[in-house]
Amino acid sequence: MDRFDRFFEISARGSTLGREIRGGFATFFTMAYIVVLNPLILFGATDGDGAKLAIPAVAAATALVAGVMTILMGVVARFPLALAAGLGVNALVAYEIAPEMTWADAMGLVVIEGVIIAILVLTGLRTAVFRSVPTQLKTAIGVGIGLFLALIGFVDAGFVKGNAGTPPVGLGIGGVIVTWPALVFVIGLLATLLLVVRRVKGAILIGILGTTVLAVIVEAIADVGPAGGPQGNPHGWSLNVPEWPSTWDATPDLSLLGEFNVLGAWDRAGVLVALMFVFTLLLTDFFDTMGTMVAVGQEGNLLDDNGQPPRTREILLVDSVAAAAGGAASVSSNTSYIESAAGVAEGARTGVANLVTGALFLVAVFLAPLVELVPFEAASAALVIVGFLMLTAVRTIDWTDYEIAIPAFLTIVLMPFTYSISNGIGAGVITYVLIKLVKGKAREVHPLLYAVAGLFVLYFLRGPVETLLF
């Protein structure tokens, strides 16, 4: 145990084995939805040949890759950061890339993107780019992600919904809470907040499990059912219906492992199209991970004076390997998950939490019905609370200095408003560089940051660029 403690630095980081285990469970329950959601997103699209991916195969591979990569992050980087198929990236693969080629070709591009990022890490470029970002802008990234997490939680729970008219978003349906799932979310959120205020150990994990139990009882009595469906059901559960499963085990279908082609896209879609897709994937993964690890490290007080987490290079390397592994398993790029902050808020500070989270994902390969028991509404309450905890770092930004305050502001607000971590980082970097140039302080900007700003300009203009080229 002493050797185990020293290797993972449990005592050195002020943690305990109990906290790490609780944190691992909390992280898993807040991100387990991906085992269900990723297959639905990928299944919703067809490739250029009209083929679809099978939901059971995608679900099993999603859980398997998430489990293996999360454990690898825990052992190699020893940082409490879990990984799984990235939301946003999977939609890009499904609805923009796959229709131009076959699924195997599209996943091949994901593998290429992961390999390129790994090379950037091994050459030190990715770490150098991370270091070039000003400390207060890194803080703003963490704050913006906190606000983003809170919005995700409110939207996934049905507490906040989009409107076709004005205003664009509103409370519940027609401005009122009229659904059982939203009520379950509110009760779970308030109960968990009270536990957090009273400093109860395991408050977030208790909140998730307690809200799930309440959801199961509500479903058994009210027979709410899923949202959408053939008949349409705006009052239903967002994703998982919290019903007691008739069976606890499921035989995993791992037929998608290795079903990728790194050369097919270049012939099928053309070199320019393939290059633009790889560039978009690369930039999204590159900066999403940077923001996520800063936010998680900030929440756990694991950053140094320069805003860097321990073993930055190892974190980025495992993340790049995970991107390639996701493509190789046909589940889209795997990336670091901001939901890991739920585990950190529960006390996790080391890679031991990852061993727990990863093991639970591996169990989920065989026990998918257990994962499906936890509804969005239960996990969403935890995301809102974690969002609050991450938002508290906003006090460390100097809001009287407009040269950093304006880029920080844009970074923070654009993440939730555009539903993208990368968009927020891009806006902040471009604005920071532009302000320094206008103020005659060009030398204060790291040379790499000019290159990053230029790449983000191209990223934001990729729509017109693609129109001109293709």
Side-chain angles (χ1 to χ4, degrees), residues 11-76:
S11 299
R13 296 186 186 179
S15 186
T16 65
L17 188 58
R19 289 180 185 174
E20 297 299 317
I21 293 174
R22 286 201 310 271
F25 270 91
T27 294
F28 173 75
F29 282 119
T30 53
M31 62 184 288
Y33 66 83
I34 194 61
V35 178
V36 179
L37 185 56
N38 192 49
L40 294 179
I41 291 174
L42 295 181
F43 177 77
T46 57
D47 68 8
D49 293 341
K52 281 182 173 288
L53 296 177
I55 286 181
V58 177
T62 297
L64 177 64
V65 177
V68 173
M69 290 298 108
T70 296
I71 291 173
L72 187 65
M73 178 70 80
V75 174
V76 175

Side-chain angles (χ1 to χ4, degrees), residues 182-408:
L183 181 60
V184 167
F185 162 76
V186 171
I187 294 173
L189 176 62
L190 293 176
T192 309
L193 280 172
L194 293 176
L195 293 174
V196 170
V197 169
R198 293 184 62 86
R199 309 284 183 180
V200 174
K201 291 182 178 180
I204 292 176
L205 180 57
I206 292 171
I208 294 171
L209 296 177
T211 308
T212 299
V213 171
L214 175 62
V216 171
I217 295 172
V218 168
E219 175 61 23
I221 296 173
D223 191 24
V224 178
Q231 307 300 321
N233 180 18
H235 298 80
W237 303 96
S238 297
L239 181 62
N240 295 347
V241 177
E243 296 177 310
W244 201 255
S246 57
T247 179
W248 290 101
D249 61 338
T251 303
D253 178 357
L254 301 178
S255 61
L256 288 177
L257 299 185
E259 292 295 316
F260 67 97
N261 182 358
V262 296
L263 300 177
W266 308 90
D267 292 330
R268 182 70 179 265
V271 174
L272 286 177
V273 173
L275 280 175
M276 283 303 298
F277 283 145
V278 171
F279 172 74
T280 303
L281 288 168
L282 182 69
L283 212 61
T284 302
D285 263 353
F286 194 105
F287 288 99
D288 271 11
T289 298
M290 189 181 82
T292 300
M293 73 177 186
V294 167
V296 171
Q298 194 170 281
E299 172 63 22
N301 196 27
L302 296 173
L303 304 181
D304 60 21
D305 292 339
N306 296 318
Q308 285 192 190
R311 298 186 182 86
T312 297
R313 186 170 183 268
E314 287 82 354
I315 294 171
L316 296 175
L317 181 59
V318 173
D319 183 83
S320 61
V321 172
S330 294
V331 296
S332 179
S333 175
N334 270 231
T335 188
S336 303
Y337 256 60
I338 189 55
E339 282 85 349
S340 305
V344 173
E346 200 56 82
R349 295 292 182 272
T350 76
V352 176
N354 278 41
L355 303 184
V356 177
T357 303
L360 290 171
F361 268 118
L362 295 181
V363 170
V365 175
F366 302 92
L367 299 178
L370 178 61
V371 175
E372 295 172 5
L373 186 63
V374 181
F376 256 2
E377 289 74 11
S380 294
L383 295 184
V384 173
I385 293 170
V386 172
F388 154 72
L389 296 174
M390 295 173 67
L391 207 64
T392 58
V394 73
R395 67 187 184 279
T396 64
I397 298 173
D398 184 2
W399 295 103
T400 63
D401 181 3
Y402 283 8
E403 292 180 23
I404 191 66
I406 291 174

